[in-house]
Structure formats: C-alpha cells, structure tokens
Amino acid sequence: MAVSKNHNIDIENTALTDSQLLVMCHQLIAQGKFAEAFLLLDHLCQQGYKYASCASLKIACLINTYRYSEAALALEELKSKCPKDKNALRLAPLVYSGVGDYASAYQASLLLSHEQRKDPSVRKAINISLQHISSLSNNTYLDDDLIELMRDSSASRNRTLVRLAEVMIRRYGLRESSIRIDLEGMASDKVLCEYLKYSFVVSPELENLLTQARRVILTQSLAAMNLPDEIMPLVVGLAQQNWLNEYIHYVEQDERVLIDELETLLQEHVTSSGGRVSDVEGLLLLLLLYKPLESLACHEVLKKVNIESWPVSLKLLARETLFDSQKDLQYSLKVKSIGDISDDVSRQVRLQYEENPYPRWNSLPVPERKNSYYQAIRSLLDAGDKLLDSVSCDEQIDVLVAGCGTGRQPLEIAANFNVNITAIDITLRSLGYAQMMAEKLNITGIDFLHMDILELQRLGKSYDVVESMGVLHHMASPEKGLESIVGVVKPGGLIKLGLYSSTARKAVSAVRKIYAESDLEPTAENIRSVRRALLDSSAKDEFKGIELFGDIYAMSPCRDLLFHVQEHSYDLLQVRDLLELFNLEFLGFTFADGSVNSAFDQCYGRESRRDLGAWHTFEESNPRTFESMYQFFVRVPAR
C-alpha cells in the first residue's frame, strides 16, 4: 500500500515489513512527529518485533507528548518482560519524575552510569527530583548532583535552598546539642563552599554554624598571624556568603574590636605601601568576612589598584564589593522619569528601596525558545482553553509591569515571550539595577520608566496585560493603585496581582506590630539585633514560623519583610471585596507546582477553583498555602 508524505498508513493492511516500519518510526521521531511514531511502535510491540527497542521508543514518544501515566504503564511492562534492558533503566528517571514520583526517579538515576547521568533530559529529571524529595539519603553521586542543581539556572532557587540547608543540617549534626567546628573539614566540603557562593543560606542552624566558623577563623588567624591555605576555600566562600546576605549575621562585641584593629592595620599598610594588596591578602579576606571593601576607610586607595593585579582569591570579591558595587547607580542616570512622586507613602517607600534595592539577583532561566504568553497563563492557571478564549495566542501583546523593582520580572517575561514590555518603578536605583542586568543578559525590548503607579494615565497608552506583584499592599491606598492599573488595561484585558496573605503572615504581623509601636529605626545594626532575637530558640510563640520566611536571611529582604514603611495584608474574602469594587473577574491562582490545586480539588472539586470563598475556607485549614503571597489573574470587563 502506498505511504503518504505525512506517513499516514493503514497499519493493518500495509505491505511494509516490520523492519521498514521501524525505520519509518525513526524518521518520524527525528521530525518530532511523536504521536504518529507512537501508533506504529505500539503496533510493532503488539507484533513482538524487536520488543525491547520498540517499547523503549514508544515510551520516549509518550514522554515527548507528556503522556506520563501511559509511559509509566509501558515502562513497567518493559521492565517485566526485559528486566535488564538498558533503555528501560535510562528512561525510568524521566518517566517517574513526569508522574511526580520523585523518590523513585532519583533512585532510578543512581542505577545509571556517570555518562548516562550527563544526558540533558536525565539531568533535568534528577534536578527536579532533588528539589521535591521529602527525605534525601547519602549516596555516591549526591555531592555532584547538588552542585549540578545549583548550576541549573532553570531550577527553583527556593526549593534548591531548602534542599541544600537540609543536607548541611544533617551533614554537620546541626540539631545536636553541641557543634564541633572543623574548619579544614568544612573547607574540603565542595557542596558547602559552592552553596556559600550560590545564595544566602536560609536556615538558623546553618547560620549559627557559619557565624561560629567565622569567629574561629578570625581569632585563630590573628593568634597565629596566619591564614592557612587549607581553609582558604571556606574563607572565600564565607566572604562571598556575607556579601550575598549583605552582612546581616550578628557580630559579637569582641569581634567588632578585632575588626576595628584589623582595619587600622590595613590603613597603615595601604598608606605606607601605596596600596599593594598582595601583601595583605589574608587581612583583606578577614575583613571581607564582616564588611564590604567599599566601606573601608582606605577604599579609594584600593580602588586605584588594577583589578588584574589582585590575588586570585580576592578578584571576584573586589569586583563585587568595591569596583562594581555602585554600578547600578550609573545605570539609574539613564532612566527616564515621568510625572511626580508626590504621595507621602510613595516617597517613603521610594527612600527605603533607594537604600536597600530588592531583590539583588544575578541569573535567569534561559528557555530553549520563546513561547506564547497566553498559553503560559493557561498552563499556570491549569485552565482549559475556554477560560481565555477571548484572547489570541498569536498576536504581539503589550505588557506593563507596574512596580518592577530590580527588574527580574520584566526580564524573565522578555526572555520567555515575544511581547512589548513597559516596566515602571518609583525607585531609580532599582531601575538602574534592572537596566544593568538587561545589558548583562543581552535582553532587549523593555522600556524602563521611573514613575508612580498613581500616575499611569501619563503613559497615554493601554495594555493587554498588567502585572503588579507585591506592590499594591505597600501603597497608602491599594484601592487607588488598583484603580490606576484598571484604567490602563484594554477592555477584556488581564491583570496579574500579588497581595500579602494575613493568614500566612501572622508571625510577620506580630513583629511588625511591635516595631510600629517602638522608636526603632531600620538601621543595619537594629535589623541584626531584632532578627537574632527572633531566630533564638526561646523566642515567643507568636513569632514562631518567622524562620520559614527566606527573606529574613538577607538584609534588604529582611527590611522588606519586617521593617517596611507601609504594608497591608488581606484574607481572601477581602480580596474578593477588592476585586468586586472594579468588577474584576477572578481567573485563578498561579502556583509553582500542581500540588496545591490537587489538594484543593480533593476538598472542593476542580469546578470551585474560581470561588474565593472556597479558597478562604481551604486557607484556614492550610495556613501556609500562600506564604509567598496570593498570586492570581483577573480579567477586566469587556466594556
């Protein structure tokens, strides 16, 4: 029987041999026609022709068409018939991670060779699994896997940090009554040293280990007048860690005295030697454990020393904490301002973020290709096509990011989708950081503007979508802010909002209440002291749970979390009232994974996902559901 160009054939009546059909399957797979290939491969498997090879190809087709449940059944059949088949072993991590059985996926990856585990699809399955496994045991590959996870820009940073903290807590026995500080052992721990340079740690136990290690390094090095080479990886890692967390770790009084003496010694050396840094490498590293180079009295002299002449251990730290530390200010001079920032609260918020731009970030997940923005929304909402059937997935759309901060949100949108983006913020330094990162990542197509959300009408333009995450609740009147946003959305357009949950933030609210009643200024020293008391095991019960907020582990995020000049929080009934003020249609929440929706569906049914009353009841029983804010889409009326 003839075969058409698109390979549609009558399988039952074809004159092609099984070997010819298998060749055709390979051709279809090479063309990305996995559904067509699957039909032929299923036929060949039923015939028993080269069963192991055909079955593994069939499973691969199911994976590539996201039919993981079917792939899991096919895999079990293949393992039953061919228990030693190498392809079954290779496909197992992909299949198990696809169905959410992360423990089995990771366990299956341990049966593969070192080379097999380098395969990008296998590596992706390993990284996803590592982030979701409830409990992780030691194994031969664990350290290398954790390092690869940190290097995966597409991996969830929050989940990665939680996993790393868990491993370190167990590795160093940090929940035991006493901790032994082994500097050389810590310095030889490649996962720990990589972690310290990856992101600020998010664990009170691990923070305690690091501050104790820092203290021992300082006192022992000064006693011996030497910084041993054996602990250099740890020292450099700790210096990088403290730069990342903006030196938020508490410093004891005796350490402060020693640091002051070290800075005096450095000043004397720099003055007499003309700034020769190679002679004071150890001295600079010790100081970098406690403060950035830009804060030293001799920083102007140090800045005159060519970066290429700095010791290898100091080059990156010198660039970050001295040479480039104010680079965002240079970029902020290029940002265009529109209108005035006259609202008193807006001015106070602006001042806070000029002092503490938030968040500081340095990488983005890079997609293989750009996708449809509206299709991505459907996926995030786990919604059928009918939910957004009034919008086209193909046309170029205009997106406004209202309150873009340091730019991660608009840059991530630009990296993933073909859209026109306007990004505004009230803080020039944050916008400077955003411009700097756009240039660094070579991302274009974003118009950054300095202005207040209350002034949006000055843009003289309407948008298909406005995203405003974590902004309205920091305004004097969130209602006025939302009114301004609604006013620049096209009829039938979408708004993505992020608002604080009063249920999830009870511990935060308790701290903020005490802060509001005090005369405490949000200085770096006061923030260090307050958080030290909060993280102490004897802290009051009303503050319990504060350690679960990752923002408390770095200076700017901690100020944003606990010491913000203005904050509102909501329950979901209040959110419903807010949306009704402007006749906004709630479309659904967005979550990092599907587990929350699945849990909700079991209680109230999938058809209730757009019922904020049902979600309110669900949150009351699951108070940590919205720790990272209510994040959701609404649609404006098609007026």
Side-chain angles (χ1 to χ4, degrees):
M1 184 175 181
V3 183
S4 66
K5 290 183 179 180
N6 62 3
H7 299 96
N8 290 326
I9 64 172
D10 182 348
I11 297 176
E12 297 300 327
N13 300 309
T14 181
L16 295 176
T17 64
D18 287 345
S19 62
Q20 289 173 319
L21 287 175
L22 184 56
V23 170
M24 184 179 291
C25 289
H26 283 286
Q27 293 173 342
L28 289 168
I29 290 172
Q31 296 169 18
K33 297 180 178 180
F34 301 107
E36 294 92 330
F38 169 79
L39 294 175
L40 296 180
L41 289 164
D42 190 48
H43 168 76
L44 292 173
C45 285
Q46 293 177 28
Q47 299 300 313
Y49 178 74
K50 293 188 176 181
Y51 175 78
S53 298
C54 291
S56 60
L57 285 174
K58 184 174 79 168
I59 294 168
C61 289
L62 290 169
I63 291 171
N64 278 283
T65 50
Y66 308 104
R67 296 158 63 183
Y68 290 108
S69 297
E70 294 174 65
L73 293 174
L75 177 64
E76 294 309 310
E77 183 179 346
L78 174 58
K79 288 167 63 178
S80 174
K81 294 182 178 179
C82 308
K84 296 183 179 180
D85 183 70
K86 293 182 179 179
N87 284 322
L89 290 174
R90 179 180 59 81
L91 291 167
L94 282 63
V95 173
Y96 293 141
S97 66
V99 296
D101 186 356
Y102 300 113
S104 295
Y106 187 65
Q107 199 61 38
S109 78
L110 300 178
L111 302 176
L112 303 181
S113 68
H114 183 70
E115 287 301 313
Q116 286 175 316
R117 296 177 101 251
K118 288 182 179 179
D119 179 271
S121 57
V122 174
R123 187 76 257 161
K124 181 179 180 181
I126 292 172
N127 288 348
I128 291 174
S129 299
L130 277 173
Q131 295 177 83
H132 288 85
I133 298 172
S134 59
S135 181
L136 189 63
S137 301
N138 287 324
N139 62 75
T140 305
Y141 290 117
L142 182 59
D143 282 6
D144 289 337
D145 284 345
L146 291 172
I147 290 173
E148 286 296 324
L149 177 60
M150 284 185 269
R151 293 173 180 171
D152 181 359
S153 63
S154 66
S156 164
R157 182 170 288 263
N158 289 339
R159 289 186 180 276
T160 300
L161 290 173
V162 170
R163 174 62 63 225
L164 291 166
E166 173 204 301
V167 170
M168 293 299 116
I169 288 170
R170 186 178 67 246
R171 181 170 296 181
Y172 291 97
L174 301 183
R175 293 203 172 103
E176 297 173 5
S177 56
S178 61
I179 301 173
R180 175 174 168 268
I181 303 298
D182 175 9
L183 296 181
E184 290 191 20
M186 294 172 69
S188 64
D189 186 338
K190 59 184 182 180
V191 177
L192 174 63
C193 292
E194 190 77 16
Y195 179 18
L196 295 178
K197 294 179 283 187
Y198 170 70
S199 180
F200 52 82
V201 302
V202 292
S203 156
E205 298 91 346
L206 188 52
E207 179 177 321
N208 183 43
L209 173 70
L210 299 181
T211 54
Q212 287 192 45
R214 180 177 66 173
R215 180 186 181 87
V216 172
I217 290 170
L218 177 66
T219 55
Q220 289 187 358
S221 297
L222 290 179
M225 295 302 293
N226 177 51
L227 189 59
D229 290 340
E230 293 79 10
I231 67 170
M232 196 64 78
L234 176 62
V235 176
V236 173
L238 281 172
Q240 184 71 32
Q241 171 62 204
N242 284 286
W243 166 248
L244 291 172
N245 68 43
E246 302 168 77
Y247 304 93
I248 199 170
H249 294 169
Y250 191 81
V251 182
E252 299 290 351
Q253 181 58 37
D254 59 337
E255 291 176 275
R256 297 180 196 181
V257 171
L258 293 175
I259 288 300
D260 289 343
E261 293 175 358
L262 284 178
E263 189 168 352
T264 300
L265 286 175
L266 178 66
Q267 179 73 29
E268 293 173 355
H269 171 81
V270 167
T271 302
S272 61
S273 69
R276 195 167 58 246
V277 298
S278 57
D279 295 343
V280 286
E281 177 184 7
L283 186 56
L284 286 167
L285 282 169
L286 288 175
L287 284 167
L288 276 164
L289 296 178
Y290 293 88
K291 57 177 61 179
L293 295 180
E294 66 176 348
S295 70
L296 300 178
C298 60
H299 73 277
E300 289 294 348
V301 178
L302 293 173
K303 207 166 185 176
K304 293 177 182 178
V305 181
N306 189 304
I307 187 65
E308 297 306 321
S309 67
W310 286 65
V312 174
S313 64
L314 284 166
K315 276 187 179 178
L316 176 61
L317 288 161
R319 192 177 300 282
E320 291 181 333
T321 74
L322 181 63
F323 290 93
D324 292 344
S325 62
Q326 302 291 319
K327 198 173 181 180
D328 53 343
L329 290 175
Q330 300 171 22
Y331 280 87
S332 67
L333 298 175
K334 306 174 185 179
V335 179
K336 179 182 177 181
S337 293
I338 296 179
D340 298 317
I341 300 175
S342 56
D343 180 80
D344 184 57
V345 170
S346 294
R347 286 178 174 178
Q348 293 180 57
V349 172
R350 176 189 176 183
L351 178 61
Q352 173 178 326
Y353 288 125
E354 295 288 2
E355 294 175 352
N356 292 93
Y358 167 74
R360 289 197 318 192
W361 57 281
N362 54 22
S363 65
L364 277 180
V366 180
E368 295 179 2
R369 59 183 177 83
K370 294 194 175 185
N371 299 307
S372 161
Y373 182 86
Y374 287 123
Q375 289 287 12
I377 294 175
R378 288 192 177 100
S379 177
L380 278 171
L381 296 175
D382 191 16
D385 289 343
K386 290 184 178 180
L387 184 60
L388 296 175
D389 57 6
S390 63
V391 296
S392 169
C393 294
D394 301 319
E395 62 186 22
Q396 188 82 1
I397 63 171
D398 295 316
V399 177
L400 170 66
V401 179
C404 69
T406 51
R408 184 180 179 92
Q409 184 182 356
L411 285 171
E412 193 162 2
I413 295 171
N416 281 274
F417 311 108
N418 287 312
V419 295
N420 304 313
I421 302 173
T422 302
I424 72 156
D425 201 83
I426 59 172
T427 311
L428 273 172
R429 189 166 186 182
S430 294
L431 289 165
Y433 194 96
Q435 291 265 37
M436 179 178 71
M437 293 306 299
E439 183 175 298
K440 175 183 175 181
L441 298 172
N442 195 29
I443 295 176
T444 59
I446 305 174
D447 188 15
F448 290 104
L449 298 172
H450 177 230
M451 66 183 300
D452 195 332
I453 283 178
L454 296 173
E455 300 276 291
L456 287 179
Q457 76 280 357
R458 289 181 177 269
L459 292 170
K461 182 178 179 179
S462 58
Y463 296 86
D464 299 284
V465 181
V466 176
E467 293 198 7
S468 188
M469 304 300 295
V471 181
L472 294 181
H473 50 227
H474 290 316
M475 300 182 70
S477 171
E479 293 82 3
K480 288 184 178 179
L482 184 54
E483 181 180 21
S484 183
I485 288 173
V486 172
V488 295
V489 181
K490 294 177 182 177
L494 306 180
I495 304 174
K496 184 180 182 183
L497 294 174
L499 297 171
Y500 284 149
S501 161
S502 55
T503 301
R505 293 171 69 86
K506 283 185 177 178
V508 173
S509 297
V511 176
R512 286 185 54 80
K513 181 180 179 183
I514 293 175
Y515 165 63
E517 294 170 352
S518 72
D519 294 324
L520 198 66
E521 292 294 323
T523 63
E525 195 57 42
N526 285 338
I527 290 173
R528 291 187 189 101
S529 298
V530 168
R531 67 183 297 278
R532 186 195 195 196
L534 291 173
L535 294 177
D536 188 275
S537 59
S538 62
K540 293 181 180 179
D541 287 343
E542 62 182 322
F543 303 143
K544 296 300 183 185
I546 201 75
E547 74 282 356
L548 300 175
F549 289 86
D551 283 354
I552 201 173
Y553 297 98
M555 186 68 72
S556 293
C558 186
R559 182 177 179 183
D560 187 82
L561 178 73
L562 301 178
F563 304 92
H564 204 288
V565 297
Q566 177 69 65
E567 178 174 310
H568 301 270
S569 60
Y570 296 83
D571 64 32
L572 285 172
L573 298 183
Q574 293 170 322
V575 170
R576 184 175 64 187
D577 292 342
L578 179 64
L579 301 184
E580 288 178 353
L581 279 178
F582 303 98
N583 196 25
L584 298 175
E585 178 188 4
F586 176 72
L587 299 181
F589 292 108
T590 64
F591 297 105
D593 59 56
S595 61
V596 178
N597 274 332
S598 296
F600 177 86
D601 291 349
Q602 290 181 7
C603 296
Y604 302 99
R606 184 185 178 91
E607 67 279 0
S608 298
R609 285 192 189 176
R610 297 171 67 189
D611 181 352
L612 286 171
W615 277 106
H616 175 72
T617 306
F618 178 82
E619 186 184 17
E620 287 183 323
S621 301
N622 303 274
R624 291 185 58 189
T625 302
F626 296 101
E627 277 181 341
S628 60
M629 295 190 295
Y630 301 124
Q631 299 183 47
F632 55 93
F633 277 94
V634 297
R635 179 162 43 201
V636 303
R639 51 186 180 276

